[in-house]
Amino acid sequence: MNLEERVRLKKANRRELYSLEPPFPYTNFLIELSNACNHACIFCTHQKMKRPVGFIKEDLLYQVLQQAYDLGTREVGFYATGEPFIVNNLSKYVKKAKKIGYEYVYLTSNGSLATPEKLRAVIDNGVDSIKFSINAPNREMYQFIHGKDDFDIVVEHLQYMNEYRKESGRKFKIFITGILTRYTERLKEDYFQVFKGLADEIVFKDVYNQGGNMPEIDELLRCTYDNETYRRCNLPFDSIYVTHEGYLSVCNADYENMLVVADLNRESLKDGWYGEKMKKIRQGFMDDNVSQTLCDGCLHHKKLPASPLTPEAATINLELFSDKQVRDRLIKAGYLK
C-alpha cells in the first residue's frame, strides 16, 4: 500500500465498516509510549490533564505489538497524548516494530526534542515517516499557540532531518502538519514560504474539540469558516489505540482514560477489540446514540457531562470541561477582554 492509498484510506467515509465485529485494522494503530509532553498547545487537552504521567512497560509494548501484528496490522504510530521524543527508548521501540515485521512505523512530534542525535537514532533504526506538528509559521504566533518559544529550534531540527536524509540515503518521509485556529487560518500560505523544501507534504487540519475534551474550542478557537455540526468518526471500527498503562481505548484523544474498553494487562488485544464494551460503543455509533459518553460532545459539538466507560481506569477531572485556561491565555494575549 503506497502513501497515496494510505492517505485516501484514512480520509474515506468508511460506513461499510460499521458493524459490531469489523475486520481487524490493517492500519490506524497508535501506541502512547508516554503521556508526558513538553508543550502546552492552546487547543490541546494536555494542559488540563490530571492523569498521572507515566511510560509504557517494555514487555507490555512488545506483547501488544506482536498481538496486533499476528492479527494482521502492518502499521504503527508511536504517539498519542504525549511527545514521543521524550521517551529514551524510542529508537529501540522503532527497531523492535520493524523487526517484528511492521511495514510502516511513524511518529508525530512537536519537534523541539528531536535533536540530531535522537533523529539519527530513529532514522537509522528504520522509521518510515516523521511528522512535525508546527501550528504557526512564525515565532510570535508559535509561542502563543504552543505555549513555548521553540520555533527556531524546531526549524533547526527540521533542517537537520532533511540534511541527514540526503547524507544517509535513508528512504523515509518528512511531513509537517498545522492545526488551524481562527488566529492562524490566514497564515496557510506562509507555511509554504517558511518551510519551502523542508517537507514532502504540508497538511492542514482545522482545530476541533479533541474528542469532546475541549468543547470551549467551538466558542474560542474554531476557524471562522468552520460550520460543522456533526463530526464523522470511524475510530471504533477501524483503529487501535493503546495507552501507556496498557488500556485499549476507543479514541487516541482520550487524555483521562474516559473511553477505555479493556485492560491489556489482563486480556488479549483481540478479546478487547471484539469485547462487549467495544461492541456497545460501536452499537451506539451505529444508532447515533452515544449519550453520556465523551464521544457525544465530539460528534455533536455539545458541551455535555460525560461518564467513563471503565471508571476504575479513568482519572476524574472536574476541570476537563472548563474553558478557564484557554480563556485566560486569550486574555493575556490581548485577543479577549
Side-chain angles (χ1 to χ4, degrees), residues 209 211-212 218 290 293-304:
N209 63 22
D218 283 345
V290 288
T293 72
L294 200 62
C295 299
D296 200 16
C298 179
L299 298 181
H300 300 108
H301 289 276
K302 294 180 179 178
K303 189 174 184 179
L304 297 169

Side-chain angles (χ1 to χ4, degrees), residues 154-171:
V154 169
V155 174
E156 288 178 11
H157 291 166
L158 184 62
Q159 290 171 334
Y160 178 81
M161 183 161 49
N162 278 269
E163 291 168 2
Y164 189 66
R165 183 167 66 172
K166 294 177 182 177
E167 173 189 325
S168 66
R170 301 282 185 180
K171 304 297 182 182

Side-chain angles (χ1 to χ4, degrees), residues 39 41 68 73 87 100 179 193-194 212 281 288 293 312 327:
H39 278 200
C41 293
T73 306
V87 177
I100 288 173
I179 306 298
Q193 297 176 17
V194 174
I281 197 73
D288 193 21
T293 72
E312 61 269 26
R327 190 174 291 276

Side-chain angles (χ1 to χ4, degrees), residues 43-46 48 207-218 228 231 233 235 251-256 258-259 285 290 292-307 317 319-323:
F43 51 75
C44 183
T45 311
H46 200 282
K48 300 191 291 185
V207 71
Y208 78 107
N209 63 22
Q210 277 229 314
N213 292 290
M214 299 281 289
E216 65 268 33
I217 283 175
D218 283 345
E228 178 187 82
R231 185 174 186 84
C233 178
L235 294 182
C251 179
N252 55 40
D254 189 12
Y255 284 80
E256 302 290 22
M258 296 284 284
L259 297 171
F285 271 67
V290 288
Q292 298 184 3
T293 72
L294 200 62
C295 299
D296 200 16
C298 179
L299 298 181
H300 300 108
H301 289 276
K302 294 180 179 178
K303 189 174 184 179
L304 297 169
S307 299
N317 183 354
E319 299 176 12
L320 191 60
F321 302 105
S322 169
D323 67 1

